[in-house]
Amino acid sequence: MSCILGIESSCDETAAAVVDGRLRVRSSVVASQYELHAEYGGVVPEIASRAHVERVLPVVRAALDEAGIAIEEVDAVAAGIRPGLIGSLLVGTSLAKAIAFALDRPFHAIDHVAAHLFAGFLREYSAEENSDRAVPPPSVPSPALGLVVSGGHTSLFRIEGACAVTLLGRTIDDAVGEAFDKAAVMLGLPHPGGPNLERCAVGGNPDALKFARPQLPNPLDFSLSGLKTKLLYEVRGVPQGRGAQATFLRSSADLSDARRADLAASFQKAAVAQVIDRLERAAEQEAPQALLVGGGVVANAHLREELASFCARRLLQLIVPARAHCVDNAAMIAGFAALRRVEGDRGDDLSVPAEPVSLLARGTKPKRVH
Ligand code: KG4
Ligand code: ZN
């Protein structure tokens, strides 16, 4: 049975995982740097890359130990090579290349956004079915729609295989996760914003505040900034003055708990409704057989419910990751490499550079990416 070691260090999570050729997760270790950045209210790139340097070797060792394999038993090495903070990406990428070089194994340069998209194919490992022959390789339904909703990305794709992903639409401003995080700050909720906003929304009235649904030149693009502004003015009042001189009448501390819950529920409903609206349009256009989703926001229960009913309405197969594989992890990196290997990909040259931008996000026109 083949074993792929995956390493992920694109932002503030140092992660390593071992996944087999059938995408069964033998280990997945994630070291979050949350506590290092909390006091700054966001990720500080220099602190992130230094922490990756300190943590990456112990995390890789832990992933190998948990999988019960020696490093020599690794058949291929994969790293998230783009997009992300360049200083952070370089740590995981350099280590993965060094291991591949030292062991003379294939190296897979993995796009983090694409890895999120295919994370729903990861499976639990079972010792009883531990040979590649015991389980057939996963096959990607084609054509399928793909949706990534994370802190850094909100994009829709046409999928015709793990190596054929075409961008259909994307956010023109904030990613959905970023909007959740900023809305949480506006409501006076602590970091991490997305999960805390979801918790706060429980019991709130989702129809307390109505948001307009943005209409954009590309009907498959997203825009979240209008939702944020509407929420800001609702919480703090319309600002007096402009720019840095603007002052607000109220603060989030003036909200009652009940009102805060209503606003959180309304924001969550509006953000999720926009995602489903774009999916409806894309389904009309593409006549897909399945929907693949991924990214941190897919951990949100309301979004998961709405995705399930969208797929039931449209008779689509829904391929959705377990919650632990929605947020950043390395199992999705190794798993995507395994999927590409099933499709005949034998790896990338060690000279492939780490890059801050996803190939799946480049350009304003839909683009096919291999
Ligand atoms: O995929 P991810 O771990 O990192 C990126 O690649 O961006 O996604 C993190 C994002 C954050 O914005 C976080 O607030 C959001 O996913 N998120 C959620 C939930 N859990 C994580 N948003 C809404 N509801 C959640 N339960
Ligand atoms: Zn991510």
Side-chain angles (χ1 to χ4, degrees):
M1 179 193 35
S2 56
C3 277
I4 298 164
L5 172 66
I7 302 179
E8 154 65 30
S9 68
S10 63
C11 189
D12 60 342
E13 251 100 35
T14 318
V18 176
V19 171
D20 74 13
R22 294 294 185 260
L23 277 80
R24 289 170 295 200
V25 181
R26 298 195 53 175
S27 67
S28 180
V29 178
V30 182
S32 170
Q33 301 177 5
Y34 162 63
E35 76 289 351
L36 298 180
H37 304 283
E39 68 174 291
Y40 304 99
V43 177
V44 184
E46 179 64 21
I47 294 176
S49 40
R50 279 169 189 264
H52 284 306
V53 170
E54 286 164 13
R55 294 167 187 210
V56 74
L57 282 173
V59 164
V60 167
R61 265 192 217 110
L64 293 169
D65 288 351
E66 214 178 275
I69 62 163
I71 196 159
E72 293 76 18
E73 293 175 74
V74 164
D75 297 289
V77 188
I81 199 157
R82 70 177 101 77
L85 300 169
I86 193 67
S88 290
L89 284 167
L90 280 170
V91 178
T93 301
S94 303
L95 177 61
K97 287 180 178 179
I99 296 172
F101 179 72
L103 297 177
D104 194 21
R105 300 289 193 276
F107 167 72
H108 289 268
I110 300 298
D111 188 291
H112 178 99
V113 177
H116 270 305
L117 210 43
F118 291 89
F121 288 101
L122 292 168
R123 303 171 194 187
E124 255 177 64
Y125 177 73
S126 101
E128 290 79 56
E129 300 177 333
N130 66 357
S131 77
D132 280 359
R133 259 168 290 132
V135 186
S139 71
V140 179
S142 174
L145 281 181
L147 169 75
V148 173
V149 270
S150 72
H153 303 275
T154 293
S155 306
L156 261 178
F157 302 99
R158 177 191 311 126
I159 295 171
E160 291 155 296
C163 302
V165 178
T166 310
L167 182 71
L168 297 172
R170 60 182 178 163
T171 181
I172 60 164
D173 39 57
D174 287 9
V176 175
E178 187 183 359
F180 265 88
D181 293 336
K182 289 178 178 164
V185 171
M186 289 174 200
L187 292 170
L189 299 168
H191 189 77
N196 282 327
L197 190 141
E198 177 176 18
R199 238 167 269 134
C200 175
V202 174
N205 172 10
D207 298 313
L209 185 63
K210 298 273 183 223
F211 294 86
R213 196 164 296 174
Q215 302 298 333
L216 304 169
N218 174 1
L220 301 183
D221 276 347
F222 301 75
S223 171
L224 279 301
S225 70
L227 267 64
K228 270 186 336 189
T229 308
K230 171 102 181 168
L231 181 70
L232 179 70
Y233 289 4
E234 187 62 30
V235 174
R236 306 195 59 189
V238 177
Q240 316 290 302
R242 289 185 149 265
Q245 270 73 49
T247 52
F248 288 92
L249 302 170
R250 303 186 293 272
S251 87
S252 61
D254 299 322
L255 290 172
S256 68
D257 287 350
R259 184 68 182 155
R260 187 175 285 112
D262 285 352
L263 296 182
S266 302
F267 180 87
Q268 177 173 265
K269 180 179 176 181
V272 169
Q274 187 179 147
V275 171
I276 301 298
D277 178 67
R278 272 38 179 180
L279 285 173
E280 294 280 7
R281 296 174 185 190
E284 279 301 315
Q285 180 184 305
E286 300 291 321
Q289 298 180 13
L291 171 66
L292 279 59
V293 295
V297 186
V298 179
N300 182 282
H302 176 54
L303 177 60
R304 290 175 89 92
E305 278 161 23
E306 291 296 313
L307 289 170
S309 42
F310 162 76
C311 286
R313 262 197 316 279
R314 292 265 176 188
L315 303 176
L316 299 180
Q317 184 188 355
L318 175 60
I319 299 171
V320 58
R323 276 198 174 75
H325 298 144
C326 290
V327 288
D328 285 352
N329 66 88
M332 69 181 193
I333 301 290
F336 187 52
L339 209 50
R340 293 185 67 120
R341 291 178 70 77
V342 169
E343 293 191 5
D345 183 359
R346 286 290 158 260
D348 298 287
D349 199 87
L350 288 177
S351 63
V352 181
E355 288 179 292
V357 182
S358 171
L359 289 183
L360 298 173
R362 255 182 216 151
T364 48
K365 295 207 180 93
K367 186 170 177 172
R368 192 179 175 92
V369 179
H370 295 277

